[in-house]
Amino acid sequence: MGAYRRTKLVLVAHRLGVFDALAAKSADANAVADRVHAHPATLAPVLDALSGMGVLEKSGALYTNGAIAAEHLVKGRPMYLGHVLEMHDRLWEGWSNLEHVVRSGQPWRTLPALLEAEPDFADRYIRGMHNFSGPAAREVARLVGPGSVKRMLDVGGGPGTYAFAILEQNPEARATVLDLDVTLRITREFANAHPLKDRLELRVGNYLEDEYGDGFDLALMSHTTHDEPEVRVRDMLARAYQALDRGGRVAIHDWVLDDSGATPLDPALFGVHVMLYTDGGRVHRRADYERWLGEAGFVRLEHHLVLPERVASATTLLLGTKP
Ligand SMILES: C[S@@+](CC[C@H](N)C(=O)[O-])C[C@H]1O[C@@H](n2cnc3c(N)ncnc32)[C@H](O)[C@@H]1O
């Protein structure tokens, strides 16, 4: 029952800037409080609890960042994950409204509205996704097959992490990332700094309303179908089918539930999470995806676990071919 306390401690310490304050050297509670503009008497128990958790280390009166905090929670470090924390920090309010969401059947907010209304959140959301997607994107690219793609569409491609990973493995390929304007404004910053930027096109569009174009041999939907209910996923699959050449493949990459609908645990928890900020979004079952793919006309269905060593949070890649 108390797990929320640990999450909140890390979120607040990150908000205060505790990990940045300890980036260069150890400090006692008074010095940290001074640097982060907090009261030393109320900051000290927070630092102690974080030390007990192993996020910080305490020696005498001095605190230091633990290994994970030093690598992932200090701004500017190559493996910085603070944007992911900021995203969770914002969605905490959604979880506080869970009872209302469950009673009313309505989301707390919808993602496009949230992204549009809060540019800061959009920035964290997109950067946060980019921060943690690297290993999964490389694995998806490997499973799709090096050298197998010439022209891909990344539906709701966000920061373009997956498109770039596939471009890296397919030297002749070109990619189009289809996403909302508010998202692509941030993606453009990533893309412009990427060595493969000339092979990536950003196309502003709504994946529920706009045509996807044509002539593609791969249509990727990574972490987008959980934001949508069945009826819209099926519509997206129909649009992807139209956009693909014969022999082209659709690839769905997401957290996927087994037949029970209740396991693995992480996708089941995420199923509640998406309900808070989507209009009918759900984590879907593998059997449902396979049925929808078949009904959309796709054949030779495959499924692969992505990074299965992550156990509870492993994702699934489903592939289908347009005959
Ligand atoms: C969870 S993110 C996934 C991003 C990326 N595919 C990945 O796996 O890292 C969902 C993406 O879908 C985009 N999106 C949401 N609704 C959309 C819509 N109606 N049309 C186009 N893009 C949309 C969001 O802007 C966001 O970039």
Side-chain angles (χ1 to χ4, degrees), residues 140-153 155 166 170 216-221 237 240-241 243-252 293 298-302 304 317-323:
V140 165
R142 190 186 70 76
L143 291 165
V144 162
S148 67
V149 180
K150 292 243 166 1
R151 203 169 155 235
M152 75 166 284
L153 176 68
V155 179
I166 290 172
N170 292 271
F216 295 102
D217 58 8
L218 180 73
L220 173 68
M221 299 175 186
L237 289 175
Y241 190 89
L244 287 167
D245 287 339
R246 293 173 78 164
R249 291 176 297 166
V250 68
I252 296 175
L293 283 163
F298 292 102
V299 296
R300 297 204 292 280
L301 306 188
E302 291 174 36
H304 306 269
L317 178 71
L318 292 134
L319 290 163
T321 302
K322 177 172 173 173

Side-chain angles (χ1 to χ4, degrees), residues 16-307:
L16 287 169
V18 166
F19 307 113
D20 295 333
L22 291 171
K25 61 180 172 69
S26 308
D28 64 13
N30 285 327
V32 180
D34 207 34
R35 285 179 211 162
V36 306
H37 309 294
H39 197 294
T42 40
L43 182 66
V46 169
L47 300 179
D48 285 336
L50 287 165
S51 304
M53 286 165 61
V55 178
L56 300 181
E57 287 167 9
K58 188 177 184 189
S59 172
L62 296 180
Y63 301 92
T64 315
N65 282 330
I68 291 177
E71 188 173 2
H72 297 298
L73 300 180
V74 175
K75 284 195 188 78
R77 295 275 152 90
M79 294 294 287
Y80 179 62
L81 290 179
H83 301 300
V84 184
L85 266 69
E86 288 166 358
M87 183 177 84
H88 281 287
D89 204 354
R90 184 69 190 96
L91 294 176
W92 181 282
E93 190 188 326
W95 277 89
S96 297
N97 279 282
L98 178 61
E99 181 186 347
H100 177 70
V101 169
V102 173
R103 284 191 191 280
S104 67
Q106 298 299 318
W108 160 65
R109 306 279 293 272
T110 64
L111 186 58
L114 202 56
L115 294 173
E116 198 57 59
E118 298 182 20
D120 274 6
F121 173 75
D123 196 76
R124 288 162 194 166
Y125 178 69
I126 301 304
R127 288 180 200 280
M129 254 181 307
H130 184 66
N131 282 164
F132 73 68
S133 294
R138 284 189 287 279
E139 184 61 4
V140 165
R142 190 186 70 76
L143 291 165
V144 162
S148 67
V149 180
K150 292 243 166 1
R151 203 169 155 235
M152 75 166 284
L153 176 68
D154 192 355
V155 179
T161 319
Y162 287 80
F164 275 127
I166 290 172
L167 289 182
E168 272 164 21
Q169 306 254 342
N170 292 271
E172 292 173 29
R174 301 190 69 78
T176 300
V177 174
L178 173 76
D179 209 305
L180 303 170
D181 183 42
V182 61
T183 296
L184 292 186
R185 274 184 245 150
I186 299 154
T187 306
R188 209 159 275 128
E189 289 177 31
F190 286 99
N192 284 340
H194 198 286
L196 301 182
K197 64 175 189 291
D198 294 341
R199 292 200 276 135
L200 187 102
E201 177 205 357
L202 302 181
R203 186 191 298 169
V204 174
N206 185 324
Y207 61 47
L208 300 173
E209 293 169 4
D210 298 326
E211 294 307 320
Y212 291 0
D214 56 23
F216 295 102
D217 58 8
L218 180 73
L220 173 68
M221 299 175 186
S222 173
H223 291 308
T224 50
T225 45
H226 66 232
D227 286 340
E228 307 299 341
E230 169 178 348
V231 60
R232 294 203 206 115
V233 176
R234 292 168 79 120
D235 181 62
M236 290 164 75
L237 289 175
R239 285 166 200 267
Y241 190 89
Q242 287 301 323
L244 287 167
D245 287 339
R246 293 173 78 164
R249 291 176 297 166
V250 68
I252 296 175
H253 170 242
D254 215 320
W255 283 286
V256 172
L257 288 161
D258 61 23
D259 284 354
S260 73
T263 48
L265 174 60
D266 263 24
L269 290 172
F270 196 67
V272 179
H273 192 75
V274 293
M275 201 168 79
L276 301 169
Y277 62 85
T278 66
D279 182 14
R282 294 291 181 272
V283 171
H284 304 289
R285 298 182 318 155
R286 192 179 114 202
D288 293 326
Y289 275 125
E290 288 175 343
R291 186 161 43 83
W292 304 336
L293 283 163
E295 286 172 10
F298 292 102
V299 296
R300 297 204 292 280
L301 306 188
E302 291 174 36
H303 73 271
H304 306 269
L305 267 189
V306 178
L307 304 178

